[in-house]
Amino acid sequence: GMCDAVVRLRFDYTIERHSPQLAALLIHAPSASGLEGVPFQDLLHEDDRTIFCERLADSTKASTASESSGTATHANVSCSMPGNMRDSLGNRVRVQLFHTSVQDVN
């Protein structure tokens, strides 16, 4: 499989740290902070924002439920969906989004 960019999101779906690969994929000019702090859903095409937030909310609920019951498995905390992002010019960029929840050990 191929992964063009990995992005770590905060609990509110904002980008936690700069992802040069995502910035390049979406033709954003290089900068020190890049896309850090940007709501990830703002980078999605309008048609995909609602379904993205719903899928992440479902994944988060499954992760929370499995952690509390002690039955966490990779299958119930991950999701994948086709989607469209917007580059800096507003053009559609077809993508396959993969999401998994990870526990921050810091």
Side-chain angles (χ1 to χ4, degrees), residues 5-10 13-44 85-88:
V6 174
V7 180
R8 188 170 175 153
L9 303 179
R10 295 183 184 103
Y13 307 145
T14 56
I15 297 174
E16 185 173 349
R17 60 179 82 120
H18 178 49
S19 172
Q21 298 86 358
L22 181 62
L25 179 71
L26 299 179
I27 316 171
H28 283 261
S31 69
S33 63
L35 298 169
E36 184 177 328
V38 171
F40 187 78
Q41 59 269 31
D42 287 359
L43 301 174
L44 297 172
M85 298 187 80
R86 292 179 310 129
D87 68 15
S88 62

Side-chain angles (χ1 to χ4, degrees), residues 3-93:
C3 184
D4 292 317
V6 174
V7 180
R8 188 170 175 153
L9 303 179
R10 295 183 184 103
F11 70 93
D12 61 356
Y13 307 145
T14 56
I15 297 174
E16 185 173 349
R17 60 179 82 120
H18 178 49
S19 172
Q21 298 86 358
L22 181 62
L25 179 71
L26 299 179
I27 316 171
H28 283 261
S31 69
S33 63
L35 298 169
E36 184 177 328
V38 171
F40 187 78
Q41 59 269 31
D42 287 359
L43 301 174
L44 297 172
H45 191 272
E46 293 78 15
D47 298 344
D48 293 322
R49 289 179 185 169
T50 301
I51 189 71
F52 170 78
C53 291
E54 289 171 356
R55 294 290 295 272
L56 257 61
D58 289 346
S59 178
T60 301
K61 286 179 198 171
S63 175
T64 302
S66 64
E67 286 173 13
S68 64
S69 69
T71 60
T73 65
H74 184 69
N76 65 5
V77 296
S78 299
C79 68
S80 171
M81 65 174 274
N84 295 283
M85 298 187 80
R86 292 179 310 129
D87 68 15
S88 62
L89 303 173
N91 298 311
R92 248 181 230 250
V93 178

